[in-house]
Amino acid sequence: MNIVEVKNLYKIFGKDTGDVYPLLRQNTSKEKILEETGCVVALNDVNLEIKKGETFVLMGLSGSGKSTFIRCLNRLIEPTKGEILINGNNVTELSSEKLREVRRKTMSMVFQNFGLFPHRTVLTNVEYGLEVAGEEKEVREKKAMESLELVGLKGYEQSFPHELSGGMQQRVGLARALANDPEVLLMDEAFSALDPLIRTQMQDELLDLQEKMHKTIVFITHDLDEALKLGDRIAILGSGGVVRQIGTPEEILNNPADSYVKSFVENVDKTKVIKASTIMKKPLTITIPKDGPNMAVRKLEKAGLSTLFVTDSHRILQGVVRIDDAVLLQKKKQSDIVPIIDTDVSITSPETPVGDLLNAAWENKYPVAVVDDYHRLLGIVDRASILAEVDSDYENVLLSDATPEKVLPENSGGVND
Ligand code: ADP
Ligand code: MG
């Protein structure tokens, strides 16, 4: 279900904005339009939909129109043309009363520079929105405390913003936005002012929070890595406020829509983004106790493989069986396969980036097993599929005839000379 729908949205700053449309139709550049009309094109025919519960990232270079876009959503900026539907209601047509309601209840914003009141305590900062909305003291204190707890700031209620680090101040900003339980969270470069380490930590925490909250988040950033990490889908905004591509991180990395997007993603290490679950294959398996050596040999011969994975009836991984061992058992007419199950199998979670599996894939005789929290076998990742995803230089090195020890001395330790 779409919670936000944006149709043919334009924002043009300046006086005679009507003069701008014919020029835009002729693909005149933003610079030329400014020169000829004195108007700045901030958003040019933006069309997009944001689904309930997703983290939608709008990413673009500075000046591409990101802040303008997010501010059009709650009409802090008045769109020049186009429609913005929130839950089916056109925001551009709301009465000021209805608009206030949308700003207070439906959407909350988190700002790059935190935007906290310096003379208010953490608690009263977080309460502010509820206070404005006319909530009773008791209720708003309770809600504010809950949302402070959610962002890990319990115990800091009586502190003042200046007593807190940047990361903590932004947590207050986040708590404030969450306090009125909005449907949509608008985050404009919310982590951009933070030190890299704190920033990474905040990103991780937002992902954790989102796993619990399932809010709709519109997150703005100029940082591609941040976009890829946080976004369920990403819209890439080019110069002059034109959307160049909308897609999942993988779609954008694998299939950049044009040269602009391509130049953006060229330097990204895909192995950090693509997950084990994406490249895993269906494993050949047998189930114990019902299957024994005969079944194993039969399946292996049919598939032309030398090993298969063993699970129990709950799909929980038990290990691997090799064809030679299975044949021996078969010859000895033994039906219990457990003694030949090799448990020395590397496992990983479906969320693991492919890059983190490289070593495991080299060091193990079997493919890496992808398992869920209950150790149930979901799939397997073999060397070939990992190599297919790593960038080409590395691929060339790994696929050359030399042994991995020889070509990767710094990782392997024990090299001859
Ligand atoms: P971003 O957030 O991606 O850095 P902005 O949305 O802030 O970009 O700005 C988009 C374009 O609109 C820029 O060229 C900027 O200079 C221009 N702009 C933003 N606000 C105004 C304004 N109030 N008046 C005139 N031009 C503006
Ligand atoms: Mg901005």
Side-chain angles (χ1 to χ4, degrees), residues 142-191:
K142 183 169 168 284
K143 288 185 178 173
M145 289 297 286
E146 281 168 7
S147 90
L148 278 169
E149 191 160 354
L150 213 53
V151 301
L153 279 186
K154 203 176 169 197
Y156 290 93
E157 302 83 50
Q158 299 312 325
S159 302
F160 284 90
H162 73 266
E163 297 172 316
L164 306 180
S165 68
M168 288 162 93
Q169 288 186 50
Q170 193 55 307
R171 265 175 226 196
V172 179
L174 189 56
R176 178 178 58 184
L178 292 173
N180 59 341
D181 195 23
E183 287 181 64
V184 185
L185 208 52
L186 306 175
M187 303 181 74
D188 188 356
E189 306 247 12
F191 302 152

Side-chain angles (χ1 to χ4, degrees), residues 119-267:
H119 57 280
R120 282 178 163 243
T121 62
V122 164
L123 184 67
T124 52
N125 259 291
V126 174
E127 273 179 42
Y128 183 73
L130 298 162
E131 199 178 314
V132 174
E135 284 278 11
E136 307 223 343
K137 177 102 186 119
E138 231 168 74
V139 177
R140 60 184 203 242
E141 232 178 68
K142 183 169 168 284
K143 288 185 178 173
M145 289 297 286
E146 281 168 7
S147 90
L148 278 169
E149 191 160 354
L150 213 53
V151 301
L153 279 186
K154 203 176 169 197
Y156 290 93
E157 302 83 50
Q158 299 312 325
S159 302
F160 284 90
H162 73 266
E163 297 172 316
L164 306 180
S165 68
M168 288 162 93
Q169 288 186 50
Q170 193 55 307
R171 265 175 226 196
V172 179
L174 189 56
R176 178 178 58 184
L178 292 173
N180 59 341
D181 195 23
E183 287 181 64
V184 185
L185 208 52
L186 306 175
M187 303 181 74
D188 188 356
E189 306 247 12
F191 302 152
S192 299
L194 305 173
D195 294 337
L197 275 179
I198 307 288
R199 184 173 185 172
T200 308
Q201 200 183 337
M202 291 295 282
Q203 293 165 349
D204 293 336
E205 282 175 26
L206 184 66
L207 288 171
D208 285 349
L209 265 180
Q210 179 62 344
E211 215 165 89
K212 291 183 225 147
M213 304 185 305
H214 304 291
K215 291 266 179 227
T216 308
I217 302 179
V218 183
F219 192 98
I220 287 198
T221 182
H222 62 265
D223 181 283
L224 182 62
D225 285 324
E226 185 165 75
L228 294 168
K229 179 169 173 182
L230 297 179
D232 293 311
R233 289 189 307 139
I234 300 169
I236 298 197
L237 205 57
S239 154
V242 178
V243 173
R244 298 294 192 124
Q245 184 168 12
I246 300 176
T248 63
E250 300 207 14
E251 280 165 359
I252 286 177
L253 288 178
N254 285 328
N255 250 328
D258 59 22
S259 54
Y260 182 84
V261 179
K262 208 169 181 171
S263 66
F264 252 120
V265 304
E266 242 161 21
N267 298 320

Side-chain angles (χ1 to χ4, degrees), residues 9 11 13 30 41-43 46 57-73 77 109 112 186-190 192 218-224 226-227 234-243 260 264:
L9 182 69
K11 177 64 197 182
F13 290 104
K30 175 178 174 173
V41 180
L43 295 172
V46 172
V57 174
L58 185 66
M59 119 116 207
L61 298 178
S62 174
S64 56
K66 304 182 297 296
S67 292
T68 304
F69 175 82
I70 212 167
R71 281 157 194 266
C72 279
L73 291 184
I77 289 179
M109 207 157 175
Q112 176 169 356
L186 306 175
M187 303 181 74
D188 188 356
E189 306 247 12
S192 299
V218 183
F219 192 98
I220 287 198
T221 182
H222 62 265
D223 181 283
L224 182 62
E226 185 165 75
I234 300 169
I236 298 197
L237 205 57
S239 154
V242 178
V243 173
Y260 182 84
F264 252 120

Side-chain angles (χ1 to χ4, degrees), residues 311 314-317 370-379:
T311 68
H314 301 290
R315 283 200 295 128
I316 293 172
L317 178 66
V370 184
V371 298
D372 66 10
D373 291 345
Y374 303 101
H375 223 262
R376 284 186 296 229
L377 181 62
L378 305 174

